[in-house]
Amino acid sequence: ITVADADLYKGASFLITPTGETDKDALEYIKYIAKKVGFENIVITTDKNHDKMITYTSQLPHIMSVAYVLQDSHSKCDGYYAGSFKDMTRVADINSALWTQLFKNNKDTLTKQIDEYVKSLELIKRYINSDGDELKELLAKSKKLKEWQDENYKY
């Protein structure tokens, strides 16, 4: 209790995946409880959409972080890191047994997300090596998407 935090769920999302058999009163009650303990964003979704979105918002960032720290440069960067390095490596501190199971359970969706991410990296690499303004335009597009996210998403 000494580390209890009344704001633990402030701004957090509470995801509910009801089925066709879910009692409507029970669903309303769980939404009520979630709001009472501080969740601000209640999301009602299907189990398939939940898995797809969690793949993108949680599993893929873990994969990216793991891949990042597995690069040879990681062991040689002492003194060269700052905020972005810490941001990128934080989730590589991973429970390997748990995350192996999560990745395996969602392997089809996760594999598709990895393929899409690799395509994005390939595009960025191609634009870095081009003479045109494609990279600048792509970075500007990314900035706009992030600004839109910050304005529209409830964290």
Side-chain angles (χ1 to χ4, degrees):
I1 196 77
T2 60
V3 295
D5 183 353
D7 293 329
L8 180 63
Y9 301 117
K10 185 176 182 177
S13 293
F14 189 85
L15 308 175
I16 305 173
T17 58
T19 68
E21 298 175 10
T22 301
D23 180 273
K24 294 197 184 317
D25 289 336
L27 179 61
E28 289 305 313
Y29 188 63
I30 197 70
K31 287 166 53 177
Y32 168 79
I33 291 171
K35 287 280 188 186
K36 279 294 193 188
V37 297
F39 287 96
E40 292 180 17
N41 189 27
I42 309 298
V43 177
I44 308 293
T45 188
T46 65
D47 58 340
K48 286 185 183 351
N49 190 60
H50 168 275
D51 291 352
K52 179 182 175 188
M53 297 313 300
I54 290 299
T55 298
Y56 179 74
T57 61
S58 179
Q59 293 179 343
L60 183 61
H62 279 80
I63 293 285
M64 293 161 44
S65 184
V66 167
Y68 185 73
V69 300
L70 289 174
Q71 292 182 328
D72 186 52
S73 293
H74 185 265
S75 64
K76 301 171 182 165
C77 65
D78 190 33
Y80 290 89
Y81 43 80
S84 57
F85 177 85
K86 291 176 184 176
D87 290 344
M88 189 68 183
T89 61
R90 181 183 62 82
V91 295
D93 183 11
I94 198 165
N95 177 325
S96 60
L98 171 67
W99 284 93
T100 295
Q101 191 63 45
L102 291 171
F103 293 160
K104 295 283 191 174
N105 286 346
N106 206 16
K107 66 182 175 185
D108 294 335
T109 305
L110 183 56
T111 300
K112 288 177 187 174
Q113 285 291 327
I114 292 169
D115 289 343
E116 189 174 335
Y117 186 69
V118 168
K119 285 180 187 177
S120 294
L121 289 174
E122 290 292 338
L123 180 65
I124 293 167
K125 184 168 80 172
R126 189 171 78 236
Y127 286 171
I128 287 170
N129 290 305
S130 75
D131 293 331
D133 287 333
E134 298 95 350
L135 180 60
K136 182 178 178 183
E137 292 167 8
L138 187 69
L139 296 176
K141 177 182 178 181
S142 172
K143 179 178 173 52
K144 284 183 184 177
L145 288 169
K146 176 62 176 140
E147 288 169 349
W148 180 90
Q149 170 191 327
D150 289 344
E151 292 172 5
N152 292 281
Y153 288 178
K154 297 176 184 174
Y155 291 105

